[in-house]
Amino acid sequence: MNAPTPSRQKVWDIPTRLVHWGLVICIGLSWWAVENKRMDIHYWSGLVVLGLLAFRIYWGFAGPETARFASFIKGPRAVFGYVGKLFRPDYRASFGHNPLGALSVMALLLAVAVQVGLGLFASDTSYVSSGPLSNLVDYETSEDITDLHEDFFNVLLIVIGLHLAAIVFYLVVKRINLVSPMISGSRKAENVEGPPTGIAPISWVRLGIGVVLAAGVVWLIAR
Amino acid sequence: MKAILFAAAAATALALAACGGGEPATPVEPTPAADAAPVTPEPVAVAAAPTGPVAMPEPTDIAAYMKARHENYEMLGKNMKVLQDNFKSETPDMAAATAAAVNVKAFADAMGAWFPAGTGPDSGIESEAKANIWTDRATFDAALTKLQAESVKLVAATDAAAFKAQFPPTGGSCKNCHDTFREEKKDQ
């Protein structure tokens, strides 16, 4: 068999990329909306974040290999092992998230979950708009949660900042562009781990279940 | 397939937790009634019903005056919370909503007198009241007149449909004034 070696390794499936860029857009939009007193936009944008998050959690179990929590969350040994080989000449890029980056992914997902969760119970001072679940908490609690929602955005920014710093580090120091695969889905298949062709095609049934579940979570909360 | 079932179960659990977990805490909703007819809501005494405005002291002690004003606005917020919770409810407790609407109107009628000279940012005391309340009094008064007009309509809206139609413009008249005359909370 002398089939030509594929030159591109597929690392990110389309749903994972859409969730990623959807979060980028919606978190940015949510921030813009609140700064410009557009709480109507903030409300819907926040609900989209919730849906994306719900889908991503599901996809962490049902998605392709590089999207699965079980395949990329590693213990401290693997994390330190990865850091140790980072500057070795035989370094090969991980297939999907590396063990250190996995911690960043989990921190990002957790921070977004906390932020959107707080937002569900928050309320503005004019009572024009409020999170869809604000009626489940009393006045003081909603006020406190609103303050936390405002303050926690800074935590989210720090985690996003670390994520961006890591991207710059790989680009400048390791000469590895992490942004381009998150757009195109694939990368050059040299000095990489994992199967040369990368991830298998996604299952449409699984995708459909995920979309219904995510929409269902949002609907149950916002109705 | 095992993984997908697990994921579906996990996501369903998440959805149920998000929805079912909160239900018992709902303060204003009585047991869901299938019919849309107004039902007498069970009095659920979760917290004491908010009151109308408390009489303001003489502005001799500026700090005490501003504190009393702040507390009055907090109480107004609690009334608005009752209204908003009922606005979100499928079966609003119209007795509670109307009582809160009457309170809101009382606040709207009283608060025009709550901004005597010296009780703004020039007092040096932390406040969300912006200086333009005193320099652009005509606009401030117009915003207040708008709130008064909307709160009169809110008090009159005693059936659920009318109430649900009138609550957003009432809140809108709060926002209308806040956007111009209220300082955003600063990050500590």
Side-chain angles (χ1 to χ4, degrees), chain A residues 19 23 44-58 116 210-211 213-219 221, chain B residues 14:
Chain A
V19 166
L23 286 173
W44 289 109
S45 172
L47 284 180
V48 175
V49 170
L50 176 71
L52 292 171
L53 194 64
F55 178 84
R56 185 61 186 86
I57 292 169
Y58 162 84
V116 81
V211 170
L213 273 173
V217 167
V218 173
W219 181 79
I221 287 175
Chain B
L14 182 78

PDB file of all heavy atoms in Angstrom, chain A residues 19 23 44-58 116 210-211 213-219 221, chain B residues 14:
ATOM      1  N   VAL A  19     -18.719  26.409  18.531  1.00  0.00           N
ATOM      2  CA  VAL A  19     -18.895  26.741  19.951  1.00  0.00           C
ATOM      3  C   VAL A  19     -17.809  27.733  20.368  1.00  0.00           C
ATOM      4  O   VAL A  19     -18.084  28.750  21.004  1.00  0.00           O
ATOM      5  CB  VAL A  19     -18.842  25.465  20.830  1.00  0.00           C
ATOM      6  CG1 VAL A  19     -18.671  25.836  22.299  1.00  0.00           C
ATOM      7  CG2 VAL A  19     -20.113  24.647  20.652  1.00  0.00           C
ATOM      8  N   LEU A  23     -18.685  31.496  21.424  1.00  0.00           N
ATOM      9  CA  LEU A  23     -18.409  32.034  22.760  1.00  0.00           C
ATOM     10  C   LEU A  23     -17.638  33.346  22.655  1.00  0.00           C
ATOM     11  O   LEU A  23     -17.922  34.303  23.372  1.00  0.00           O
ATOM     12  CB  LEU A  23     -17.627  31.018  23.601  1.00  0.00           C
ATOM     13  CG  LEU A  23     -18.423  29.819  24.120  1.00  0.00           C
ATOM     14  CD1 LEU A  23     -17.491  28.809  24.800  1.00  0.00           C
ATOM     15  CD2 LEU A  23     -19.507  30.263  25.102  1.00  0.00           C
ATOM     16  N   TRP A  44     -30.221  38.044  25.634  1.00  0.00           N
ATOM     17  CA  TRP A  44     -30.234  37.005  24.593  1.00  0.00           C
ATOM     18  C   TRP A  44     -28.853  36.463  24.329  1.00  0.00           C
ATOM     19  O   TRP A  44     -28.673  35.259  24.117  1.00  0.00           O
ATOM     20  CB  TRP A  44     -30.887  37.547  23.316  1.00  0.00           C
ATOM     21  CG  TRP A  44     -32.353  37.701  23.536  1.00  0.00           C
ATOM     22  CD1 TRP A  44     -33.061  38.871  23.668  1.00  0.00           C
ATOM     23  CD2 TRP A  44     -33.310  36.643  23.751  1.00  0.00           C
ATOM     24  NE1 TRP A  44     -34.386  38.604  23.935  1.00  0.00           N
ATOM     25  CE2 TRP A  44     -34.570  37.250  23.992  1.00  0.00           C
ATOM     26  CE3 TRP A  44     -33.217  35.252  23.762  1.00  0.00           C
ATOM     27  CZ2 TRP A  44     -35.723  36.508  24.243  1.00  0.00           C
ATOM     28  CZ3 TRP A  44     -34.373  34.511  24.002  1.00  0.00           C
ATOM     29  CH2 TRP A  44     -35.603  35.142  24.237  1.00  0.00           C
ATOM     30  N   SER A  45     -27.879  37.327  24.362  1.00  0.00           N
ATOM     31  CA  SER A  45     -26.505  36.895  24.154  1.00  0.00           C
ATOM     32  C   SER A  45     -26.080  35.930  25.266  1.00  0.00           C
ATOM     33  O   SER A  45     -25.429  34.914  25.014  1.00  0.00           O
ATOM     34  CB  SER A  45     -25.623  38.146  24.108  1.00  0.00           C
ATOM     35  OG  SER A  45     -24.295  37.798  24.086  1.00  0.00           O
ATOM     36  N   GLY A  46     -26.499  36.244  26.496  1.00  0.00           N
ATOM     37  CA  GLY A  46     -26.199  35.365  27.627  1.00  0.00           C
ATOM     38  C   GLY A  46     -26.858  34.004  27.476  1.00  0.00           C
ATOM     39  O   GLY A  46     -26.260  32.971  27.786  1.00  0.00           O
ATOM     40  N   LEU A  47     -28.066  33.996  26.956  1.00  0.00           N
ATOM     41  CA  LEU A  47     -28.755  32.720  26.753  1.00  0.00           C
ATOM     42  C   LEU A  47     -28.068  31.886  25.675  1.00  0.00           C
ATOM     43  O   LEU A  47     -28.020  30.658  25.768  1.00  0.00           O
ATOM     44  CB  LEU A  47     -30.227  32.950  26.387  1.00  0.00           C
ATOM     45  CG  LEU A  47     -31.146  33.340  27.540  1.00  0.00           C
ATOM     46  CD1 LEU A  47     -32.561  33.542  27.029  1.00  0.00           C
ATOM     47  CD2 LEU A  47     -31.135  32.304  28.652  1.00  0.00           C
ATOM     48  N   VAL A  48     -27.536  32.561  24.655  1.00  0.00           N
ATOM     49  CA  VAL A  48     -26.789  31.828  23.619  1.00  0.00           C
ATOM     50  C   VAL A  48     -25.528  31.219  24.243  1.00  0.00           C
ATOM     51  O   VAL A  48     -25.192  30.056  23.983  1.00  0.00           O
ATOM     52  CB  VAL A  48     -26.439  32.734  22.417  1.00  0.00           C
ATOM     53  CG1 VAL A  48     -25.554  31.983  21.422  1.00  0.00           C
ATOM     54  CG2 VAL A  48     -27.703  33.222  21.724  1.00  0.00           C
ATOM     55  N   VAL A  49     -24.853  31.986  25.104  1.00  0.00           N
ATOM     56  CA  VAL A  49     -23.681  31.450  25.808  1.00  0.00           C
ATOM     57  C   VAL A  49     -24.081  30.202  26.594  1.00  0.00           C
ATOM     58  O   VAL A  49     -23.389  29.182  26.560  1.00  0.00           O
ATOM     59  CB  VAL A  49     -23.058  32.512  26.754  1.00  0.00           C
ATOM     60  CG1 VAL A  49     -21.998  31.882  27.652  1.00  0.00           C
ATOM     61  CG2 VAL A  49     -22.452  33.655  25.953  1.00  0.00           C
ATOM     62  N   LEU A  50     -25.213  30.271  27.281  1.00  0.00           N
ATOM     63  CA  LEU A  50     -25.700  29.127  28.055  1.00  0.00           C
ATOM     64  C   LEU A  50     -25.912  27.906  27.147  1.00  0.00           C
ATOM     65  O   LEU A  50     -25.499  26.791  27.480  1.00  0.00           O
ATOM     66  CB  LEU A  50     -27.017  29.496  28.751  1.00  0.00           C
ATOM     67  CG  LEU A  50     -27.702  28.384  29.532  1.00  0.00           C
ATOM     68  CD1 LEU A  50     -26.905  28.060  30.785  1.00  0.00           C
ATOM     69  CD2 LEU A  50     -29.123  28.769  29.891  1.00  0.00           C
ATOM     70  N   GLY A  51     -26.522  28.139  25.989  1.00  0.00           N
ATOM     71  CA  GLY A  51     -26.766  27.044  25.057  1.00  0.00           C
ATOM     72  C   GLY A  51     -25.467  26.456  24.521  1.00  0.00           C
ATOM     73  O   GLY A  51     -25.310  25.233  24.439  1.00  0.00           O
ATOM     74  N   LEU A  52     -24.521  27.334  24.177  1.00  0.00           N
ATOM     75  CA  LEU A  52     -23.227  26.868  23.671  1.00  0.00           C
ATOM     76  C   LEU A  52     -22.512  26.031  24.735  1.00  0.00           C
ATOM     77  O   LEU A  52     -21.914  25.000  24.444  1.00  0.00           O
ATOM     78  CB  LEU A  52     -22.356  28.070  23.273  1.00  0.00           C
ATOM     79  CG  LEU A  52     -22.822  28.880  22.053  1.00  0.00           C
ATOM     80  CD1 LEU A  52     -21.996  30.159  21.921  1.00  0.00           C
ATOM     81  CD2 LEU A  52     -22.711  28.051  20.775  1.00  0.00           C
ATOM     82  N   LEU A  53     -22.614  26.509  25.971  1.00  0.00           N
ATOM     83  CA  LEU A  53     -21.962  25.820  27.079  1.00  0.00           C
ATOM     84  C   LEU A  53     -22.590  24.438  27.312  1.00  0.00           C
ATOM     85  O   LEU A  53     -21.879  23.449  27.482  1.00  0.00           O
ATOM     86  CB  LEU A  53     -22.114  26.689  28.327  1.00  0.00           C
ATOM     87  CG  LEU A  53     -21.258  26.358  29.525  1.00  0.00           C
ATOM     88  CD1 LEU A  53     -19.788  26.560  29.197  1.00  0.00           C
ATOM     89  CD2 LEU A  53     -21.660  27.252  30.691  1.00  0.00           C
ATOM     90  N   ALA A  54     -23.922  24.410  27.293  1.00  0.00           N
ATOM     91  CA  ALA A  54     -24.621  23.133  27.483  1.00  0.00           C
ATOM     92  C   ALA A  54     -24.222  22.154  26.378  1.00  0.00           C
ATOM     93  O   ALA A  54     -23.944  20.983  26.638  1.00  0.00           O
ATOM     94  CB  ALA A  54     -26.135  23.355  27.479  1.00  0.00           C
ATOM     95  N   PHE A  55     -24.160  22.676  25.144  1.00  0.00           N
ATOM     96  CA  PHE A  55     -23.758  21.810  24.038  1.00  0.00           C
ATOM     97  C   PHE A  55     -22.329  21.316  24.229  1.00  0.00           C
ATOM     98  O   PHE A  55     -22.034  20.134  24.022  1.00  0.00           O
ATOM     99  CB  PHE A  55     -23.862  22.540  22.697  1.00  0.00           C
ATOM    100  CG  PHE A  55     -23.417  21.675  21.548  1.00  0.00           C
ATOM    101  CD1 PHE A  55     -24.305  20.791  20.964  1.00  0.00           C
ATOM    102  CD2 PHE A  55     -22.097  21.694  21.113  1.00  0.00           C
ATOM    103  CE1 PHE A  55     -23.892  19.946  19.944  1.00  0.00           C
ATOM    104  CE2 PHE A  55     -21.669  20.855  20.099  1.00  0.00           C
ATOM    105  CZ  PHE A  55     -22.572  19.973  19.506  1.00  0.00           C
ATOM    106  N   ARG A  56     -21.433  22.221  24.656  1.00  0.00           N
ATOM    107  CA  ARG A  56     -20.016  21.848  24.785  1.00  0.00           C
ATOM    108  C   ARG A  56     -19.818  20.786  25.867  1.00  0.00           C
ATOM    109  O   ARG A  56     -18.965  19.896  25.736  1.00  0.00           O
ATOM    110  CB  ARG A  56     -19.160  23.088  25.093  1.00  0.00           C
ATOM    111  CG  ARG A  56     -17.652  22.801  25.112  1.00  0.00           C
ATOM    112  CD  ARG A  56     -17.170  22.289  23.760  1.00  0.00           C
ATOM    113  NE  ARG A  56     -15.768  21.856  23.762  1.00  0.00           N
ATOM    114  CZ  ARG A  56     -15.367  20.632  24.103  1.00  0.00           C
ATOM    115  NH1 ARG A  56     -16.249  19.733  24.503  1.00  0.00           N
ATOM    116  NH2 ARG A  56     -14.083  20.315  24.054  1.00  0.00           N
ATOM    117  N   ILE A  57     -20.617  20.876  26.943  1.00  0.00           N
ATOM    118  CA  ILE A  57     -20.518  19.875  28.007  1.00  0.00           C
ATOM    119  C   ILE A  57     -20.952  18.512  27.446  1.00  0.00           C
ATOM    120  O   ILE A  57     -20.262  17.508  27.622  1.00  0.00           O
ATOM    121  CB  ILE A  57     -21.357  20.288  29.234  1.00  0.00           C
ATOM    122  CG1 ILE A  57     -20.723  21.518  29.895  1.00  0.00           C
ATOM    123  CG2 ILE A  57     -21.460  19.132  30.235  1.00  0.00           C
ATOM    124  CD1 ILE A  57     -21.579  22.185  30.940  1.00  0.00           C
ATOM    125  N   TYR A  58     -22.064  18.514  26.733  1.00  0.00           N
ATOM    126  CA  TYR A  58     -22.530  17.279  26.091  1.00  0.00           C
ATOM    127  C   TYR A  58     -21.476  16.760  25.110  1.00  0.00           C
ATOM    128  O   TYR A  58     -21.148  15.571  25.091  1.00  0.00           O
ATOM    129  CB  TYR A  58     -23.848  17.564  25.365  1.00  0.00           C
ATOM    130  CG  TYR A  58     -24.238  16.535  24.328  1.00  0.00           C
ATOM    131  CD1 TYR A  58     -24.899  15.369  24.680  1.00  0.00           C
ATOM    132  CD2 TYR A  58     -23.935  16.753  22.972  1.00  0.00           C
ATOM    133  CE1 TYR A  58     -25.243  14.428  23.722  1.00  0.00           C
ATOM    134  CE2 TYR A  58     -24.278  15.815  22.015  1.00  0.00           C
ATOM    135  CZ  TYR A  58     -24.931  14.649  22.390  1.00  0.00           C
ATOM    136  OH  TYR A  58     -25.269  13.728  21.432  1.00  0.00           O
ATOM    137  N   VAL A 116     -22.286  32.841  33.523  1.00  0.00           N
ATOM    138  CA  VAL A 116     -23.632  32.754  32.943  1.00  0.00           C
ATOM    139  C   VAL A 116     -24.631  32.304  34.011  1.00  0.00           C
ATOM    140  O   VAL A 116     -25.774  32.769  34.056  1.00  0.00           O
ATOM    141  CB  VAL A 116     -23.636  31.850  31.678  1.00  0.00           C
ATOM    142  CG1 VAL A 116     -23.702  30.378  32.010  1.00  0.00           C
ATOM    143  CG2 VAL A 116     -24.776  32.215  30.749  1.00  0.00           C
ATOM    144  N   GLY A 210     -27.378  16.715  20.585  1.00  0.00           N
ATOM    145  CA  GLY A 210     -26.742  17.808  21.331  1.00  0.00           C
ATOM    146  C   GLY A 210     -27.432  19.143  21.110  1.00  0.00           C
ATOM    147  O   GLY A 210     -27.628  19.907  22.058  1.00  0.00           O
ATOM    148  N   VAL A 211     -27.793  19.401  19.869  1.00  0.00           N
ATOM    149  CA  VAL A 211     -28.459  20.674  19.556  1.00  0.00           C
ATOM    150  C   VAL A 211     -29.813  20.738  20.261  1.00  0.00           C
ATOM    151  O   VAL A 211     -30.169  21.750  20.881  1.00  0.00           O
ATOM    152  CB  VAL A 211     -28.611  20.844  18.025  1.00  0.00           C
ATOM    153  CG1 VAL A 211     -29.511  22.028  17.694  1.00  0.00           C
ATOM    154  CG2 VAL A 211     -27.243  21.017  17.368  1.00  0.00           C
ATOM    155  N   LEU A 213     -30.708  19.074  22.968  1.00  0.00           N
ATOM    156  CA  LEU A 213     -30.470  19.195  24.408  1.00  0.00           C
ATOM    157  C   LEU A 213     -30.129  20.625  24.797  1.00  0.00           C
ATOM    158  O   LEU A 213     -30.676  21.173  25.758  1.00  0.00           O
ATOM    159  CB  LEU A 213     -29.316  18.281  24.826  1.00  0.00           C
ATOM    160  CG  LEU A 213     -29.682  16.852  25.183  1.00  0.00           C
ATOM    161  CD1 LEU A 213     -28.422  16.036  25.415  1.00  0.00           C
ATOM    162  CD2 LEU A 213     -30.565  16.822  26.430  1.00  0.00           C
ATOM    163  N   ALA A 214     -29.218  21.244  24.046  1.00  0.00           N
ATOM    164  CA  ALA A 214     -28.790  22.612  24.371  1.00  0.00           C
ATOM    165  C   ALA A 214     -29.964  23.576  24.254  1.00  0.00           C
ATOM    166  O   ALA A 214     -30.186  24.411  25.147  1.00  0.00           O
ATOM    167  CB  ALA A 214     -27.647  23.038  23.454  1.00  0.00           C
ATOM    168  N   ALA A 215     -30.731  23.422  23.167  1.00  0.00           N
ATOM    169  CA  ALA A 215     -31.892  24.299  22.989  1.00  0.00           C
ATOM    170  C   ALA A 215     -32.904  24.041  24.101  1.00  0.00           C
ATOM    171  O   ALA A 215     -33.526  24.983  24.616  1.00  0.00           O
ATOM    172  CB  ALA A 215     -32.522  24.057  21.618  1.00  0.00           C
ATOM    173  N   GLY A 216     -33.043  22.779  24.503  1.00  0.00           N
ATOM    174  CA  GLY A 216     -33.971  22.432  25.572  1.00  0.00           C
ATOM    175  C   GLY A 216     -33.590  23.061  26.903  1.00  0.00           C
ATOM    176  O   GLY A 216     -34.444  23.568  27.624  1.00  0.00           O
ATOM    177  N   VAL A 217     -32.303  23.035  27.216  1.00  0.00           N
ATOM    178  CA  VAL A 217     -31.828  23.647  28.465  1.00  0.00           C
ATOM    179  C   VAL A 217     -32.162  25.141  28.460  1.00  0.00           C
ATOM    180  O   VAL A 217     -32.706  25.680  29.426  1.00  0.00           O
ATOM    181  CB  VAL A 217     -30.300  23.436  28.630  1.00  0.00           C
ATOM    182  CG1 VAL A 217     -29.742  24.321  29.741  1.00  0.00           C
ATOM    183  CG2 VAL A 217     -29.995  21.975  28.921  1.00  0.00           C
ATOM    184  N   VAL A 218     -31.871  25.803  27.348  1.00  0.00           N
ATOM    185  CA  VAL A 218     -32.143  27.243  27.252  1.00  0.00           C
ATOM    186  C   VAL A 218     -33.647  27.504  27.353  1.00  0.00           C
ATOM    187  O   VAL A 218     -34.086  28.393  28.086  1.00  0.00           O
ATOM    188  CB  VAL A 218     -31.576  27.823  25.937  1.00  0.00           C
ATOM    189  CG1 VAL A 218     -31.993  29.277  25.758  1.00  0.00           C
ATOM    190  CG2 VAL A 218     -30.060  27.698  25.908  1.00  0.00           C
ATOM    191  N   TRP A 219     -34.417  26.672  26.668  1.00  0.00           N
ATOM    192  CA  TRP A 219     -35.870  26.878  26.685  1.00  0.00           C
ATOM    193  C   TRP A 219     -36.444  26.693  28.085  1.00  0.00           C
ATOM    194  O   TRP A 219     -37.254  27.496  28.551  1.00  0.00           O
ATOM    195  CB  TRP A 219     -36.546  25.920  25.697  1.00  0.00           C
ATOM    196  CG  TRP A 219     -38.026  26.095  25.664  1.00  0.00           C
ATOM    197  CD1 TRP A 219     -38.724  27.072  25.004  1.00  0.00           C
ATOM    198  CD2 TRP A 219     -39.006  25.305  26.353  1.00  0.00           C
ATOM    199  NE1 TRP A 219     -40.073  26.935  25.244  1.00  0.00           N
ATOM    200  CE2 TRP A 219     -40.276  25.855  26.070  1.00  0.00           C
ATOM    201  CE3 TRP A 219     -38.920  24.184  27.183  1.00  0.00           C
ATOM    202  CZ2 TRP A 219     -41.452  25.329  26.585  1.00  0.00           C
ATOM    203  CZ3 TRP A 219     -40.113  23.647  27.698  1.00  0.00           C
ATOM    204  CH2 TRP A 219     -41.347  24.220  27.391  1.00  0.00           C
ATOM    205  N   ILE A 221     -35.066  27.171  30.862  1.00  0.00           N
ATOM    206  CA  ILE A 221     -34.673  28.253  31.760  1.00  0.00           C
ATOM    207  C   ILE A 221     -35.329  29.573  31.380  1.00  0.00           C
ATOM    208  O   ILE A 221     -35.746  30.340  32.244  1.00  0.00           O
ATOM    209  CB  ILE A 221     -33.132  28.360  31.784  1.00  0.00           C
ATOM    210  CG1 ILE A 221     -32.561  27.176  32.564  1.00  0.00           C
ATOM    211  CG2 ILE A 221     -32.683  29.680  32.400  1.00  0.00           C
ATOM    212  CD1 ILE A 221     -31.080  27.085  32.581  1.00  0.00           C
TER     213      ILE A 221
ATOM    214  N   LEU B  14     -28.747  18.049  34.053  1.00  0.00           N
ATOM    215  CA  LEU B  14     -28.397  19.473  34.139  1.00  0.00           C
ATOM    216  C   LEU B  14     -29.640  20.323  33.918  1.00  0.00           C
ATOM    217  O   LEU B  14     -29.927  21.245  34.675  1.00  0.00           O
ATOM    218  CB  LEU B  14     -27.341  19.794  33.081  1.00  0.00           C
ATOM    219  CG  LEU B  14     -26.810  21.218  33.044  1.00  0.00           C
ATOM    220  CD1 LEU B  14     -25.794  21.430  34.143  1.00  0.00           C
ATOM    221  CD2 LEU B  14     -26.184  21.519  31.685  1.00  0.00           C
TER     222      LEU B  14
END
